[in-house]
Amino acid sequence: MRRERIFLFDTTLRDGQQTPGVDFSVEDKIAIASMLDDFGIDYVEGGYPGANPTDTAFFAKRRTRNARFVAFGMTKRTGVSAANDPGLAGLLQSASDTICLVAKSWDYHVAVALGCTNEENLENIAASVEAVVMSGREAMVDCEHFFDGYKANPDYALACAKAASDAGARWVVLCDTNGGTQPEEIRTIVASVIAAGIPGDRLGIHAHNDTGQAVANSLAAVEAGVRQIQGTLNGIGERCGNANLVTLIPTLALKDVYASRFETAIDTDRLQELTKLSHAFDELLNRSPDHQMPYVGASAFATKAGIHASALLKDPRTYEHVTPESVGNLRKVMVSDQGGKANFINALKRRGIVVGKDDPRLDRLITIVKEREATGYAYEGADASFAILARRILAYVPDFFHVESFRVMVERRFDANGQLKTVSEAVVRVLIDGEETLSVAEGHGPVNALDLALRKDLGKYQHEIADLELADYKVRILNGGTEAITRVLIESTDATGARWWTVGVSDNIIDASFQALMDSIVFKLLKNRDGAVAAAAE
Amino acid sequence: MRRERIFLFDTTLRDGQQTPGVDFSVEDKIAIASMLDDFGIDYVEGGYPGANPTDTAFFAKRRTRNARFVAFGMTKRTGVSAANDPGLAGLLQSASDTICLVAKSWDYHVAVALGCTNEENLENIAASVEAVVMSGREAMVDCEHFFDGYKANPDYALACAKAASDAGARWVVLCDTNGGTQPEEIRTIVASVIAAGIPGDRLGIHAHNDTGQAVANSLAAVEAGVRQIQGTLNGIGERCGNANLVTLIPTLALKDVYASRFETAIDTDRLQELTKLSHAFDELLNRSPDHQMPYVGASAFATKAGIHASALLKDPRTYEHVTPESVGNLRKVMVSDQGGKANFINALKRRGIVVGKDDPRLDRLITIVKEREATGYAYEGADASFAILARRILAYVPDFFHVESFRVMVERRFDANGQLKTVSEAVVRVLIDGEETLSVAEGHGPVNALDLALRKDLGKYQHEIADLELADYKVRILNGGTEAITRVLIESTDATGARWWTVGVSDNIIDASFQALMDSIVFKLLKNRDGAVAAAAE
């Protein structure tokens, strides 16, 4: 049976613009349009030319090579002809292939927001679509609030959709603008639209995630006959976001219930670029990636439970719904309180340490890890600290240097100009091969000062740590209140691009930070000597 | 028509424990079980007694008053009787009301993970359930990998479910362990289970979010006849998370397609506590809240007002799928909008400050708050700091005392016995009515030392702060890496039982802590003088 084509429509640059904290510059939009175009998205909706200077500038040129470049705007106003409507004129002037007009399809909105009659709204829709068609461009209409409008006045909502379709719109998009529609309702209402005479291959779905079901609603609409899905990269969008294309694309491609019936422009080769696309988008916007995002998240294929690990080692099909490689992601097996012996052995193997399951030192390591984790250590997020601990018990770690003592001071006082300033200073006494060095450093805060002082003069090891950098620092207070334990996690990098995490736990935050900093330096020195250790760092 | 009862089963403390970066201490578990119990959840699955020390300690006592307290574990091993299986013994010894046994229901897993025959697995299920029933406890069985198992060998998967049911399990839970099943398949397979003889009101659904449809799958299962939903707070869980109860509960209660047919233990009053519950859980775990989480996220009801005509703003039904108040959330209209101002006026009124909406000082306060929040302050969680700031701008705050300077020192060295110890000392110079006091104090860590030194000698105010105590301390690093900003939140209490939160932000953690400590003391002094301030503190 021939598979039907689903068209992917990305509105990251238009509806995604409404995301709290997101503001695209023209350069941002050019870069993102290019990423989407290269990936194979069918339609790239670039924005609203005429509504703001950025979008108007963005639409001065066509910004995609293969994807249809879409300009968004409103249907003409009442009492003005299509030829004389300035909004429409702006759209027709833009360097777009396709024009998408948003139309009211809820009678309440027509009255309150537009202040015109239901009939006038239908005329505005028809005339606007005709104007676009006559200009030689592809026309689409987003029927805003379609599902709520249908529930309130089904005949009128259908009339709006038909007005668009009859006037020549290639696509009529049913929008769940408030995001509250349920999958069951999507299916029923889409079926009614098709029964009313607009075929599914002219219908699109635009879902929002206000009940956590934008993806499900999009798929329900497809099951009911719709053939265009609108969404955004990483599900950005206002309120709870738009439908996440990064979730929809692999689901359509890899899940048999859809893959057997439908195809998109994203073939299995392109699909392997998905994780890269998702991460590149977050990088560009300086957004923290969602580690738990389906398919592409850092944790999407990470498993912790000891009860899974042994089976997983034998056949990943038993624990993974798709292979991570199919979407360009990686499998991760983590160490933790929950780890069974098999988990530990595997974790050690990946760090270049081979140990037999009956080796008594293995039991000792497991016991120490569990005891420490009960006091606050979290080795799962501190790969490098785990590697050092494991090597100390199962192999050998050289005594590179000793910190005999340290002193950290934070002082807040008035300076010579009468300004209040805070200074942080650390003094460290280090013993290397019987020789003592004393170093002092200033920093933004006490931990920064301690870090700089520790790494200021490590004698014969100094050149080895020259490229060591603290990349990230996280603090967690456990058991709150006055009996608090502080857990510090530090991420370090070096010139090779490797990244590793270390942990420290104490009731004293400086002490906890000190432990994590020490492990960071020791790991760097181990890494410089031992290929297996280096290989284990990403 | 009488509505059918849906039972809510929370596995935050068991399956949620697998979340990357999540580690519950016994104290954490006690607090969370209490939150769930108070909220009205039917079942609280507390963990896996016998698998690790934390869970075993947690199950030493019954930790809920109304909710059923559930212990999780495995069916007995092959070749051992139920009476002699140590895992089962651990479960039966625990202080639980209900025991939930995880059973293999995919023949491939039985062979590869358990290494026994299909028949032996069925016997293990039956014998284990019987043992639980005979102990007088409610038995449940989680049929692991049920949907994949059904696709591979439907007869065997059904046989496992029936073995559980026939042996007396109150609930048979169908688990989508790999998270890859689609809603259409959930519906079909659930219908088959019911057709095979296990009624829907004995069936549960346990969905995972690997294709972003855990919520949709749970609802699809309910539509197909299932009457227990398993999920976690804020959707935590391994990989992409479990079904989010914080999304499911309001959807069931507020969406007519479900609310007309089903009811849960969460009535509309309790539902208004939902946002608080979700935020309290994030706070306890020191997790960044997901601003875009449905219903409860800070942005869930936030619109960039420009896109709505002002007339529409008068009727939120036109752009909101449910009212924010129904789930205890707030409507946010961002930046300079009139709606934003109304929010501020209300917030101030609740703190005993009355200000007219045209008072220019109100605009100044709003501007300062927004600027500070852009740099990291979070007044939403720091009521007392907000009250002080508001009073400084709109009313008057006495200059009780000045901290001229402070110095905090942490030193780690060998003591007289050759033991490494860390000492923290703080010196504070305070000016009160022209008189200077110099105080020194030692503490567990630098912040504790600073706190004690600050409160050691405040002259004429000393007796007023005698009952002031630091109850909790939280740290958040914002903007990670080397440009990190630290936000500190401090909770204080006094002899009256009042509790208040204060905030401090700086790139220096000691500085940030100092700000929060100062606000804490100033608030205490204000409170002692001003009934309205005192009333506003919980």
Side-chain angles (χ1 to χ4, degrees):
Chain A
M1 188 181 100
R2 219 182 113 266
R3 297 192 296 169
E4 291 186 64
R5 184 74 150 74
I6 306 279
F7 292 85
L8 299 170
F9 184 107
D10 181 284
T11 183
T12 297
L13 300 177
R14 199 276 303 168
D15 213 5
Q17 178 111 277
Q18 316 281 39
T19 312
V22 162
D23 278 287
F24 298 121
S25 62
V26 177
E27 292 75 26
D28 289 334
K29 289 202 165 199
I30 292 171
I32 293 166
S34 192
M35 281 163 54
L36 292 165
D37 196 15
D38 291 344
F39 189 70
I41 298 295
D42 300 297
Y43 288 86
V44 174
E45 191 173 51
Y48 194 153
N52 62 77
T54 303
D55 283 0
T56 306
F58 184 59
F59 276 93
K61 285 179 59 174
R62 184 173 184 256
R63 304 293 185 176
T64 57
R65 280 169 303 123
N66 302 315
R68 285 182 168 269
F69 191 45
V70 186
F72 170 94
M74 292 174 78
T75 49
K76 79 168 188 67
R77 275 178 299 174
T78 308
V80 177
S81 71
N84 290 332
D85 185 88
L88 264 185
L91 290 174
L92 293 168
Q93 277 156 31
S94 70
S96 56
D97 306 310
T98 300
I99 290 174
C100 180
L101 302 161
V102 62
K104 301 299 181 198
S105 55
W106 184 354
D107 57 358
Y108 186 72
H109 272 246
V110 172
V112 171
L114 297 182
C116 66
T117 67
N118 285 353
E119 264 310 308
E120 284 166 335
N121 184 47
L122 294 175
E123 282 157 21
N124 292 339
I125 293 172
S128 306
V129 170
E130 278 159 18
V132 171
V133 171
M134 283 204 309
S135 80
R137 252 170 288 222
E138 184 181 58
M140 312 178 35
V141 172
D142 276 359
C143 291
E144 212 194 25
H145 294 284
F146 185 80
F147 296 91
D148 289 324
Y150 184 93
K151 289 178 191 176
N153 185 339
D155 292 336
Y156 187 66
L158 287 173
C160 294
K162 292 222 78 193
S165 177
D166 292 345
R170 166 66 185 89
W171 294 101
V172 174
V173 184
L174 313 177
C175 303
D176 184 25
T177 311
N178 284 357
T181 311
Q182 297 302 296
E184 185 184 310
E185 299 171 314
I186 297 279
R187 282 191 295 274
T188 314
I189 293 172
V190 166
S192 304
V193 175
I194 292 175
I198 305 175
D201 63 12
R202 304 257 307 282
L203 289 175
I205 178 71
H206 177 108
H208 277 271
N209 204 37
D210 297 74
T211 71
Q213 297 181 91
V215 165
N217 278 348
S218 304
L219 293 169
V222 165
E223 284 172 346
V226 151
R227 293 293 172 261
Q228 186 199 100
I229 300 179
Q230 298 205 349
T232 59
L233 287 176
N234 297 347
I236 69 163
E238 67 180 322
R239 302 190 313 269
C240 310
N242 282 61
N244 188 344
L245 286 180
V246 170
T247 305
L248 280 161
I249 290 168
T251 301
L252 287 167
L254 301 172
K255 293 295 164 186
D256 201 58
V257 287
Y258 314 113
S260 58
R261 291 147 60 192
F262 308 113
E263 60 180 5
T264 72
I266 313 304
D267 60 22
T268 41
D269 281 340
R270 279 224 172 106
L271 193 62
Q272 289 173 36
E273 301 297 307
L274 184 71
T275 301
K276 212 193 251 182
L277 173 69
S278 170
H279 290 177
F281 181 67
D282 280 334
E283 278 295 320
L284 196 147
L285 288 190
N286 205 22
R287 278 165 76 84
S288 303
D290 177 0
H291 289 165
Q292 298 202 274
M293 188 172 288
Y295 298 104
V296 301
S299 297
F301 296 95
T303 179
K304 200 177 186 179
I307 57 174
H308 293 309
S310 54
L312 185 68
L313 294 176
K314 295 170 191 171
D315 184 354
R317 268 195 321 133
T318 62
Y319 268 87
E320 282 171 359
H321 74 113
V322 299
T323 68
E325 294 78 22
S326 61
V327 292
N329 205 345
L330 297 169
R331 181 176 300 122
K332 274 200 181 103
V333 183
M334 299 182 289
V335 180
S336 85
D337 193 22
Q338 304 279 306
K341 224 178 198 182
N343 225 355
F344 263 86
I345 291 173
N346 195 45
L348 293 165
K349 191 153 65 170
R350 285 191 307 119
R351 291 165 179 83
I353 306 174
V354 179
V355 63
K357 70 177 170 67
D358 296 314
D359 188 329
R361 295 175 303 168
L362 176 61
D363 291 317
R364 209 173 121 231
L365 173 62
I366 293 176
T367 304
I368 291 177
V369 167
K370 287 190 193 292
E371 280 170 4
R372 286 204 179 173
E373 289 195 332
T375 65
Y377 286 82
Y379 284 107
E380 174 203 305
D383 228 61
S385 287
F386 176 75
I388 293 170
L389 177 65
R391 277 190 154 63
R392 283 209 161 104
I393 293 174
L394 300 170
Y396 168 69
V397 174
D399 251 344
F400 297 111
F401 62 93
H402 262 266
V403 173
E404 302 272 270
S405 67
F406 68 74
R407 189 173 69 243
V408 175
M409 194 190 68
V410 175
E411 185 170 3
R412 178 153 146 146
R413 49 178 165 71
F414 291 102
D415 68 10
N417 303 317
Q419 295 272 61
L420 256 180
K421 70 182 255 187
T422 305
V423 290
S424 305
E425 184 190 289
V427 171
V428 174
R429 192 185 297 266
V430 181
L431 194 67
I432 306 175
D433 286 347
E435 294 240 356
E436 213 178 69
T437 63
L438 200 58
S439 305
V440 64
E442 278 192 311
H444 311 295
V447 175
N448 182 226
L450 181 59
D451 178 38
L452 294 171
L454 263 175
R455 294 193 280 122
K456 194 166 180 181
D457 184 1
L458 283 182
K460 63 189 198 184
Y461 302 113
Q462 194 56 27
H463 69 285
E464 285 196 51
I465 61 161
D467 61 336
L468 176 61
E469 260 181 56
L470 191 154
D472 203 356
Y473 175 87
K474 294 202 233 256
V475 180
R476 182 90 192 271
I477 312 291
L478 311 168
N479 309 331
T482 45
E483 297 306 309
I485 302 279
T486 306
R487 176 203 294 158
V488 166
L489 283 165
I490 281 175
E491 187 187 27
S492 309
T493 66
D494 66 11
T496 72
R499 308 183 84 83
W500 61 96
W501 283 91
T502 53
V503 65
V505 172
S506 171
D507 61 358
N508 184 314
I509 194 174
I510 305 300
D511 235 357
S513 305
F514 172 73
Q515 293 171 34
L517 289 168
M518 283 295 290
D519 270 4
S520 165
I521 297 169
V522 170
F523 187 81
K524 168 68 173 156
L525 295 174
L526 278 179
K527 186 177 158 298
N528 288 352
R529 285 159 178 66
D530 187 334
V533 174
E538 284 169 83
Chain B
M1 187 182 98
R2 218 181 114 264
R3 297 193 298 169
E4 291 187 64
R5 182 75 150 76
I6 305 278
F7 291 84
L8 299 169
F9 184 106
D10 182 284
T11 183
T12 297
L13 300 177
R14 198 277 302 169
D15 214 6
Q17 178 111 278
Q18 317 282 36
T19 312
V22 161
D23 278 287
F24 299 121
S25 62
V26 177
E27 292 75 25
D28 288 335
K29 288 200 166 201
I30 291 171
I32 294 165
S34 193
M35 282 163 52
L36 293 165
D37 196 14
D38 291 344
F39 189 71
I41 299 296
D42 299 297
Y43 288 86
V44 173
E45 191 173 53
Y48 194 154
N52 61 77
T54 303
D55 282 1
T56 306
F58 183 60
F59 275 93
K61 285 179 58 176
R62 184 173 184 255
R63 304 292 186 177
T64 57
R65 280 169 304 123
N66 302 315
R68 284 183 170 268
F69 191 45
V70 187
F72 170 94
M74 294 174 76
T75 49
K76 79 167 186 69
R77 277 179 297 176
T78 307
V80 177
S81 71
N84 290 332
D85 185 86
L88 265 185
L91 289 174
L92 294 169
Q93 277 155 30
S94 70
S96 57
D97 305 310
T98 300
I99 290 175
C100 180
L101 301 162
V102 61
K104 301 297 181 199
S105 54
W106 184 356
D107 58 357
Y108 188 73
H109 270 248
V110 173
V112 171
L114 295 182
C116 66
T117 68
N118 284 354
E119 263 310 307
E120 284 167 333
N121 184 47
L122 294 175
E123 283 157 22
N124 292 339
I125 293 172
S128 306
V129 169
E130 278 158 19
V132 171
V133 171
M134 283 201 310
S135 80
R137 256 173 285 225
E138 184 181 59
M140 311 179 35
V141 172
D142 276 0
C143 291
E144 213 193 22
H145 293 287
F146 185 81
F147 297 91
D148 289 323
Y150 184 95
K151 290 178 192 176
N153 185 339
D155 291 335
Y156 188 66
L158 286 173
C160 294
K162 292 222 80 194
S165 175
D166 292 345
R170 167 63 185 90
W171 294 101
V172 175
V173 184
L174 313 176
C175 303
D176 184 28
T177 309
N178 284 359
T181 311
Q182 297 302 297
E184 183 183 314
E185 298 171 315
I186 297 279
R187 282 191 296 271
T188 313
I189 294 172
V190 166
S192 303
V193 175
I194 293 174
I198 305 175
D201 62 14
R202 303 256 307 280
L203 290 175
I205 178 71
H206 178 108
H208 277 272
N209 204 38
D210 297 74
T211 72
Q213 298 181 89
V215 165
N217 279 348
S218 304
L219 294 169
V222 164
E223 285 172 345
V226 151
R227 294 292 173 259
Q228 186 199 100
I229 300 179
Q230 298 204 350
T232 59
L233 288 177
N234 298 347
I236 70 162
E238 68 181 321
R239 304 190 312 270
C240 309
N242 283 61
N244 188 345
L245 286 180
V246 171
T247 305
L248 280 161
I249 290 169
T251 301
L252 287 167
L254 301 172
K255 293 294 165 187
D256 201 58
V257 287
Y258 314 113
S260 58
R261 292 145 62 191
F262 307 114
E263 60 180 7
T264 72
I266 313 304
D267 60 22
T268 42
D269 280 340
R270 276 219 173 110
L271 193 62
Q272 289 172 37
E273 301 298 307
L274 185 71
T275 302
K276 210 193 250 183
L277 174 68
S278 170
H279 290 178
F281 181 68
D282 280 333
E283 277 296 319
L284 194 147
L285 288 189
N286 206 19
R287 277 166 76 83
S288 307
D290 177 0
H291 290 165
Q292 299 203 274
M293 188 173 288
Y295 299 104
V296 301
S299 298
F301 296 95
T303 55
K304 288 186 178 172
I307 61 172
H308 295 301
S310 54
L312 280 177
L313 284 173
K314 291 180 187 158
D315 186 356
R317 265 191 327 131
T318 60
Y319 60 90
E320 278 172 2
H321 74 113
V322 297
T323 68
E325 294 79 20
S326 60
V327 292
N329 204 347
L330 297 168
R331 180 174 300 118
K332 274 202 180 98
V333 186
M334 297 185 284
V335 197
S336 55
D337 204 275
Q338 291 295 303
K341 224 181 200 181
N343 263 345
F344 259 86
I345 292 173
N346 271 336
L348 293 165
K349 192 153 64 172
R350 287 189 300 119
R351 289 165 180 81
I353 306 174
V354 180
V355 63
K357 70 175 170 69
D358 296 312
D359 188 329
R361 295 175 304 167
L362 177 61
D363 290 316
R364 209 175 121 230
L365 173 63
I366 292 175
T367 304
I368 290 176
V369 168
K370 288 188 193 295
E371 280 170 6
R372 287 206 178 168
E373 288 196 332
T375 64
Y377 285 85
Y379 285 106
E380 182 196 304
D383 229 62
S385 287
F386 177 74
I388 293 171
L389 177 66
R391 277 191 156 60
R392 282 207 162 106
I393 293 173
L394 301 170
Y396 168 70
V397 174
D399 251 345
F400 297 112
F401 62 93
H402 260 264
V403 173
E404 302 272 88
S405 68
F406 68 75
R407 190 173 69 243
V408 175
M409 195 189 68
V410 175
E411 186 170 5
R412 178 155 146 142
R413 50 176 164 73
F414 291 101
D415 68 10
N417 303 316
Q419 294 273 65
L420 255 180
K421 67 182 254 187
T422 305
V423 290
S424 306
E425 182 190 288
V427 170
V428 175
R429 191 186 297 266
V430 181
L431 194 68
I432 306 174
D433 287 346
E435 294 240 355
E436 213 178 69
T437 63
L438 199 58
S439 305
V440 64
E442 278 191 311
H444 310 296
V447 175
N448 182 224
L450 181 59
D451 178 38
L452 295 172
L454 264 175
R455 295 193 278 121
K456 195 166 182 182
D457 184 359
L458 282 182
K460 63 187 195 183
Y461 301 114
Q462 193 57 25
H463 69 285
E464 286 197 51
I465 61 162
D467 61 336
L468 175 61
E469 261 182 55
L470 191 155
D472 204 355
Y473 175 87
K474 291 198 234 256
V475 181
R476 251 313 270 291
I477 313 291
L478 312 167
N479 311 330
T482 46
E483 297 305 310
I485 302 279
T486 305
R487 175 203 296 158
V488 166
L489 283 165
I490 282 176
E491 186 186 28
S492 309
T493 65
D494 65 12
T496 73
R499 308 182 84 83
W500 60 96
W501 282 92
T502 54
V503 65
V505 172
S506 170
D507 62 358
N508 184 315
I509 194 174
I510 306 301
D511 235 358
S513 306
F514 173 72
Q515 293 171 33
L517 289 168
M518 281 295 289
D519 270 4
S520 165
I521 297 169
V522 169
F523 187 81
K524 168 67 174 156
L525 294 174
L526 277 179
K527 187 178 158 297
N528 288 350
R529 285 158 179 65
D530 186 333
V533 174
E538 287 169 78

